[in-house]
Structures are given as C-alpha cells and as structure tokens.
Amino acid sequence: MTLEVIRQLESVKRIIRNPDPQVADRVKNRDDLIDNYKAVIENICFSRIHGHHYLTREEADFVRAVNIISNNLERISDFAVNILGQLNHLHDMKTMQSYRYRHYFQQITISLELVVQGLFNRDHELALRICKSEFIVDKLFKKSFRQILEDLHSADNKSDLITCLFIFRYLERMGDSMLNIGEAIIFSVFGEKLKIHQYHALMENLGSMDNELSFEEIGFESIWESRSGCRIGKIMDSGQRNGQAVLFKEGRIEKIAREKANIEKWKSIFPSLVPRIISYSQNSKNASMLMDFLQGCSVQDTVLSRDRESMDNAAFILKETLSIIWHDTLENTAVKPDFISQMIQRLDDVIMIHPEFNFSDFDNSLSRPLPEKLLQILSKIETELSSPFSVFIHGDFNTNNILYNQKNQQIYFIDLHRSRYGDYVQDISVFLVSNYRMPVFYPDVRRAINKINKTIFCFANQFAAENSDKTFHARLALGLIRSFYTSTRFELNRELSRSMYNRSLQLAQLLLAHQGKPWRDFSVPRNIFDYP
C-alpha cells in the first residue's frame, strides 16, 4: 500500500511536468486499489483485535498503529486525486511549475519510504524523521502562501494562482497525514498515544535526570487526561534499575508553570504533602515536568472501596493534615468569597447540558427570576460576607486530587495549579460536593459518602468556631450552591443531576429568606449532603 501511494505522488508530479491523460487515468485507478488495500488491512486489524486469539498489549498496539497508518495512507492518495482534479482547472501548467512544488513531493516521498521500516522495526528515530516532514511541509506551505498572495496583486492569471494555492493546501494536508503516521509508530513503540510535542517534552525531561534513561528503557502508562487538557503519565524504568516511577505532566504553559510555583510553595509549608519536582521544561506554548510518583489511592477510591476502616483512617489523617495547614498558614487578612463569579463563568455550560436548570421554578416573591437575576441577588449577599482570615488552600479540592497512602498513613495533594491564599470554605465546599456527585447508588456506599462528608463538615465547623468565623455557614451555602449547580454539567444521570440542582435551589432559597437577619445566625441544613 505504501509503494502504491508513493507511485501516486510520482505520477502526479509527472503530470505537473508533462500532462498525460493516460497517467491521470492510472492515478484514478490506483486510488481504487489503495482503497481496497485499506479495507483489507482494516478487516485484518479488527479481526485480530476481536478474534479468538489472545493479543498481548504490544501486539494490540501494533495492530492499532497499522490501522491508523493505513487510514492516513489512503488519505494521502485521496489528496493526490484531489490535486489531479485541481490541475484540470489550470489554464497554464507553467504557473504551477514556477513554484517549488517538487520540494513538497520530495519530503513526503522520502518520509513514506521510511514508514514500513519504522513500523516493523519499532524505530522511534525513523518515526521522528517522519514527523519532522510535517514541519518542513508546513514551512514550505507558508512560503508558497505568502508568495502567491504577493503575486496576486500584479498577476493576470489570478484564477491559476488560486488553483495553485488549493494544490499546495492538499500537499500541506499530506504533511498532516505524515505526522499522524509518525505518531502512530511512536504509539506502537510506547504503547501510548503521544503528540510529537509531548514526546519531545518527555525526552527533554528524561534527559535532565541524573540517572539518564534511554527511550528503550522506559515504560509509559497514561493515568488520566484532565479536563484542562494536560497529559499525565507514569514513567517506569523497565530495567528496574531503581524501581522508582516518576510522573510526567505536560500542558499549557500557564497551568504547568503555575503548578510548579505552587508545588514549591507547598514544599516550604508542608514538604511531605506534595511531589518533588525532578525536572521542568517549557517552550513558547507548552510546559512539562517530571515529578516523583506518589504511592497511594485517591480518597475517592478509598470511599468506594467499601473498606470502612481505611476510609475512617483516611478521614482522620485528612483532618489532621488540614488542621496543620490551616493553623500554620493562617493570616489575619480578611478575604471575600468569589463563588458566584465562578458560577457565572460556568452558567452557559450547565444550561447547554441541562437547559431546564435555569431556576425558572424558583419559588419566592421575586416572581420566578432567571439565572442572571438570581445570581445578582446572591452576588449582593456575597459582598456582605467575608472570612476573617485567609489560609493557603488547595484550590481544586476534589477527592480525586487527594491521595491516601495507607501503609505510611500519609495524605498527599496533587493537581495544585489553583493553590493560593484564600477562603478555606472554597476547599471544603468542593470536597463535599465531589463526594456527593459520585454516580454510585449502592446504599452502603452512599452511607459511607454521607459519613465522610459529615466528618469533614463537622471538622470545618469546629475550626470556624475556634477561630471566630461567624459567617462560615453562609459562605459554605454559597460555595455549595456553586459546586452543586456547576457539577451538573459533568453529570448526565438525570436523577443525580436533578438532585444536585435541587440542593443548589434549596440553599439559594434559604439564603434569600435569611436576608436582613444577622448572617452569624444562618445555618446550613445537616441533611444537605444526604442523597435520597
């Protein structure tokens, strides 16, 4: 199939030099042959994956890579046929010949000749050379684009110039397909889908380690990809030279750089709480870093495990950890909550998923306000409230961002890009709702969720009383309104999302009913976390 695609490119290049109807017919016929090759390979791939014979992870990855490559080879052939169609619109073939079209064909052809060898030899160096062709073709296209734009001002054959631009655009898209092919080969070697910039970031960070590892010596296992788009993976030394895994994280420079700074801040406060940064690198858009891989499972998984002793231990250590952090970082600087502005930022996303969650059923004297009206009222309430002190908070205190190591009886924090000095109610409200929104409905698990929520709620309530925080409950209500409501955008389960919306509605009604009374007398209902 690769050879036939190379022949396609050679034939199209030949037609540009010397138009020949017979060669054009061969291009069209060969495209049908390549389509057949793709169908055959696709059928073989799916039969291997879904067949009766067991495939190892490495074999399955290879089959998946083959399928990706065949799809992109077929696309390149289609682009060649599209170029052939555009050539029919040229009035003067010499117009095309005046531009550097040969360089496009040369780069793509050279890369195509490396595909089979790179795939079957699992050669990541050849894969990188294939990927590089996309960047070269992109540069060629930018130059051609600028030149054609300049020529359009004075040329008489404007239609031919526009046709040439379309042709170069198809050649540029061939480069995109070559990048997909190169990344597919990297996937077959790594066992994980890595974009080329992620691969380069990973190699750069590994190269900065004291015990430098070669590409062949590591194993890469994706852990998750966050909603913000960061790529996170676990790197293992396959040679088991030290047995220590590390965590690779790559994403937009603003987030990764901010997380790096926050980890360093946390290190100065509570050194054992967060991972050690091993290396950090960045370019104009993205940044990446290697960190120690923290052993343990998330508090979320601990709650779901149905091991009540582990859950109780995790809750106890979490309380002790928060107590130390809050006492050690407490500053006597009043801080205003900003829950409603966070809610406003996410309002459209909620309405898009649940258009009926628009507070149209709000039962009060305001004659059924729309979200904007209700949020204005809640914003006014928010301006009347403040925490009498600030502490250093996690900023995204979901239960899957808190790890519990049962062996060491240790709590760890991860995903720290939002850490800052602020209102501790921000973390507490997010924690409570992240437990509530778990889409698990077994009675014993729901009881466990209710129990840990009650434990952390009582702990935070006691801390507020000890530190003369008179508006803790009112601010917590605002935080819960925000988290209950905005969490519905991630939940398609009708019953659970409606339950969160109703709780947000209930708390809003209680706050509005309390207006004009001292906020120190407001109290959040203790059953607000109990799932019906």
Side-chain angles (χ1 to χ4, degrees):
M1 183 177 184
T2 304
L3 290 173
E4 293 297 341
V5 173
I6 292 173
R7 291 192 182 101
Q8 286 286 71
L9 296 182
E10 292 295 335
S11 296
V12 172
K13 187 169 63 173
R14 178 180 170 185
I15 292 170
I16 295 174
R17 290 196 308 266
N18 183 26
D20 186 335
Q22 292 184 344
V23 177
D25 288 339
R26 284 200 292 270
V27 169
K28 296 174 184 176
N29 293 333
R30 192 180 291 116
D31 184 57
D32 292 336
L33 175 62
I34 291 169
D35 287 346
N36 290 336
Y37 279 143
K38 180 216 170 187
V40 170
I41 293 172
E42 188 176 76
N43 289 337
I44 294 173
C45 289
F46 279 95
S47 66
R48 293 285 167 82
I49 290 175
H50 299 291
H52 298 295
H53 297 291
Y54 172 77
L55 292 179
T56 65
R57 169 71 181 274
E58 184 177 307
E59 290 169 339
D61 291 340
F62 175 81
V63 171
R64 290 171 62 187
V66 167
N67 191 52
I68 293 170
I69 292 170
S70 67
N71 275 290
N72 280 278
L73 289 173
E74 191 263 343
R75 287 184 65 203
I76 293 173
S77 177
D78 286 344
F79 294 144
V81 174
N82 291 339
I83 290 173
L84 190 64
Q86 290 297 324
L87 290 174
N88 293 328
H89 298 297
L90 279 177
H91 297 95
D92 186 355
M93 195 66 71
K94 291 181 181 180
T95 307
M96 184 69 184
Q97 294 171 357
S98 63
Y99 295 99
R100 300 174 61 190
Y101 72 90
R102 294 182 183 85
H103 294 279
Y104 290 86
F105 286 94
Q106 182 181 16
Q107 284 298 326
I108 297 167
T109 301
I110 290 173
S111 298
L112 284 170
E113 291 171 346
L114 302 176
V115 170
V116 173
Q117 183 181 351
L119 174 66
F120 284 90
N121 292 342
R122 302 181 76 248
D123 191 326
H124 66 279
E125 294 293 343
L126 291 182
L128 289 176
R129 288 168 61 184
I130 294 169
C131 291
K132 186 179 178 180
S133 67
E134 191 268 344
F135 300 103
I136 296 174
V137 169
D138 266 358
K139 289 181 179 179
L140 289 171
F141 178 73
K142 289 177 182 177
K143 186 172 182 179
S144 300
F145 183 80
R146 287 194 299 266
Q147 185 178 349
I148 290 174
L149 284 184
E150 291 176 5
D151 293 345
L152 276 170
H153 292 294
S154 57
D156 296 327
N157 57 339
K158 287 182 171 56
S159 63
D160 277 3
L161 291 180
I162 293 173
T163 300
C164 288
L165 186 59
F166 289 152
I167 291 172
F168 287 126
R169 176 59 177 154
Y170 283 124
L171 289 167
E172 189 267 340
R173 293 177 69 184
M174 288 184 187
D176 294 340
S177 291
M178 293 310 306
L179 179 62
N180 293 338
I181 290 172
E183 289 178 346
I185 296 175
I186 291 175
F187 165 71
S188 72
V189 177
F190 245 122
E192 295 289 341
K193 286 190 175 181
L194 290 174
K195 294 294 184 182
I196 190 63
H197 69 271
Q198 294 170 337
Y199 170 86
H200 282 305
L202 175 58
M203 292 299 103
E204 183 176 349
N205 280 280
L206 288 174
S208 67
M209 294 177 64
D210 293 335
N211 56 333
E212 185 173 339
L213 296 174
S214 68
F215 184 90
E216 291 79 7
E217 291 178 307
I218 68 168
F220 185 94
E221 175 187 339
S222 283
I223 298 178
W224 63 82
E225 187 160 345
S226 71
R227 291 188 175 102
S228 59
C230 283
R231 184 62 186 268
I232 305 175
K234 179 181 177 183
I235 308 285
M236 297 149 289
D237 179 357
S238 58
Q240 297 296 317
R241 295 190 299 182
N242 55 31
Q244 182 64 45
V246 296
L247 194 74
F248 169 71
K249 190 166 187 176
E250 189 271 349
R252 301 294 295 178
I253 189 170
E254 297 84 2
K255 177 176 179 180
I256 301 299
R258 188 164 61 246
E259 180 164 10
K260 175 180 179 290
N262 285 337
I263 289 175
E264 292 168 348
K265 178 67 176 178
W266 278 111
K267 277 290 183 185
S268 68
I269 298 170
F270 203 141
S272 63
L273 186 68
V274 296
R276 175 178 64 98
I277 297 175
I278 300 170
S279 67
Y280 174 85
S281 66
Q282 68 179 51
N283 54 38
S284 60
K285 294 182 179 180
N286 285 38
S288 61
M289 56 185 172
L290 286 181
M291 300 173 284
D292 283 335
F293 182 81
L294 300 175
Q295 300 292 334
C297 60
S298 68
V299 169
Q300 174 179 287
D301 290 338
T302 303
V303 173
L304 295 177
S305 70
R306 303 189 180 188
D307 184 341
R308 300 288 75 86
E309 182 179 354
S310 293
M311 189 195 78
D312 291 342
N313 285 340
F316 174 78
I317 297 171
L318 179 59
K319 289 191 299 178
E320 293 297 305
T321 302
L322 288 175
S323 180
I324 294 172
I325 294 169
W326 292 350
H327 281 102
D328 288 356
T329 65
L330 189 146
E331 295 183 350
N332 291 318
T333 303
V335 58
K336 289 284 187 182
D338 63 345
F339 300 114
I340 304 307
S341 64
Q342 298 170 25
M343 190 171 173
I344 291 172
Q345 292 171 7
R346 298 161 176 83
L347 183 65
D348 290 342
D349 292 336
V350 173
I351 297 299
M352 182 178 68
I353 302 298
H354 302 287
E356 71 277 17
F357 290 179
N358 59 10
F359 294 103
S360 60
D361 49 355
F362 199 86
D363 183 18
N364 68 86
S365 59
L366 297 173
S367 66
R368 300 173 181 261
L370 294 173
E372 293 81 0
K373 180 65 176 177
L374 175 61
L375 293 178
Q376 286 177 5
I377 299 169
L378 293 176
S379 293
K380 182 178 182 301
I381 292 174
E382 193 172 51
T383 61
E384 302 171 9
L385 305 172
S386 64
S387 171
F389 54 83
S390 64
V391 299
F392 200 63
I393 63 174
H394 183 288
D396 191 14
F397 208 50
N398 288 293
T399 52
N400 56 3
N401 286 333
I402 311 165
L403 301 183
Y404 167 57
N405 186 311
Q406 186 174 19
K407 180 180 178 181
N408 299 334
Q409 291 294 284
Q410 171 78 47
I411 286 289
Y412 301 115
F413 288 176
I414 60 174
D415 204 6
L416 299 160
H417 68 285
R418 292 177 179 165
S419 293
R420 66 188 187 280
Y421 271 94
D423 187 352
Y424 66 104
V425 169
Q426 171 84 37
D427 277 357
I428 294 301
S429 59
V430 169
F431 179 89
L432 296 173
V433 175
S434 71
N435 274 317
Y436 184 93
R437 74 185 190 193
M438 292 186 200
V440 181
F441 308 103
Y442 299 108
D444 59 329
V445 178
R446 294 311 307 185
R447 285 193 296 270
I449 292 172
N450 295 341
K451 181 179 180 181
I452 194 171
N453 270 352
K454 181 179 179 181
T455 299
I456 298 302
F457 169 77
C458 290
F459 161 75
N461 188 45
Q462 181 179 351
F463 180 83
E466 292 172 353
N467 290 275
S468 302
D469 184 357
K470 304 298 185 182
T471 62
F472 167 76
H473 278 263
R475 300 196 321 279
L476 180 61
L478 287 172
L480 293 173
I481 289 170
R482 175 265 189 200
S483 291
F484 273 130
Y485 184 74
T486 61
S487 292
T488 62
R489 73 191 194 277
F490 301 129
E491 184 53 58
L492 298 179
N493 180 287
R494 176 69 181 176
E495 183 178 344
L496 181 57
S497 59
R498 168 58 70 170
S499 174
M500 290 191 288
Y501 170 66
N502 286 341
R503 274 156 177 70
S504 181
L505 193 65
Q506 177 187 350
L507 288 166
Q509 289 172 325
L510 291 173
L511 282 174
L512 266 64
H514 196 84
Q515 281 183 301
K517 303 174 186 177
W519 288 115
R520 63 177 177 270
D521 296 335
F522 182 84
S523 182
V524 171
R526 296 300 177 98
N527 65 348
I528 199 70
F529 314 113
D530 294 341
Y531 188 80

